[in-house]
Structures are given as C-alpha cells and as structure tokens.
Amino acid sequence: KKKKTLKIVDTGLGMTADDVEKYIAQLAFSGAEEFVKKYQDDSGNNQIIGHFGLGFYSSFMVSDSVEIDTLSFQEDAKAAHWSCDGSPNYTLDTGKREVRGTAITLHINKESEEFLEEGKIRTLLMRHCRFLPHPIFLNEKQINDVEPLWIKPASQCTDKDYLNFYKALYPMEPDPIFWIHLNI
C-alpha cells in the first residue's frame, strides 16, 4: 500500500520473452485494431471478451505503469521483464523471476488509490472470482473456498450442501423454502 502497487502473482505456465512480445506488446499496440475489426462484424459466434491480452490493458485505467515479470514452463527458458506506461513504448528485458509463473505489478495512479484497500480488492474478488476452479488468494487467505453446486450432479449434493451454499451467497437471508438443482 505504501508503494502504491498492487501485485497479481500466479504459478501457471508463465511466458517467454517471445510470448510477451506476441501476446502483450504486439496485440495491444499493433494488432488490437485488426483484432477488434475481425470480431466487430461477427454474428456473435466469436466473442472478443475473454481473449488474452485485451483485458490486460484495462490495467492502465487504474495504473500509471505496469510491469510483468514472468518465467515460462519451457525447458531452459529465461525470465522476461516487461514494463510500460500505457504508451506504445515499452521495455522488454531479462527478468528476475526464478520460479515458473507470472507476477504483474500495477503502479496505481492517484485517482485509483481505492484499489489499494484490502476491503475493496476482497469485494471485487468475491464478486468476480468466487467460483473459479483455481484457488484465488488475497494476503494468503483463499477467497474462492465455496465449491459451486451447479458443477456437481444433484445425486452428490445433500440438503446441508444446498443450505451452506445458499448461506455463503446470502448470509443475511432466511433459509430457502425449496431449491432446484440445475447443472451447467
């Protein structure tokens, strides 16, 4: 909080310098317009939402600059460090990361300092990440610890499971009168 930074870290596949160049630098600055045009006239079969790289650039809405330090899972890969202030200029150098994965550091701008508050981050994570299939942690406490019942067959759910799930979503409400199980 004192440094005015927010760091998002994973231990996933990571990226090579070539991956960073392709998926972060080129997509955002040279390929984004072409990418948007490709999906603009589409009948909805392909959606722009969820494509890697595009959502990443929303980080500049709250940040003066963004850094990525990443190490790919690929054998003999070298860590890569990318830094940008939101302009078309960026640096891509050798990174310091020693374990597979990626660390993204947002240097939060003055207008967005509310995102440095743990309560604000917790609220956002609970709203948008609560049922993701991979564990999400905030300050070493798991945020998404409730298993969504819609991914389980009804035969594997007990009345207690349904009640606990409902209470996790609506803690101040009385118990439901009944429930219907839908698998998605």
Side-chain angles (χ1 to χ4, degrees), residues 91-105:
T91 60
L92 181 57
D93 299 310
T94 302
K96 295 179 183 169
R97 193 165 174 93
E98 296 179 0
V99 294
R100 178 184 86 178
T102 302
I104 300 171
T105 305

Side-chain angles (χ1 to χ4, degrees), residues 7 15 67-72 77-82 92-103 105:
K7 190 175 272 195
M15 293 181 282
E67 296 179 59
I68 298 175
D69 198 16
T70 185
L71 178 62
S72 174
K78 292 181 174 43
H81 180 266
W82 178 88
L92 181 57
D93 299 310
T94 302
K96 295 179 183 169
R97 193 165 174 93
E98 296 179 0
V99 294
R100 178 184 86 178
T102 302
T105 305

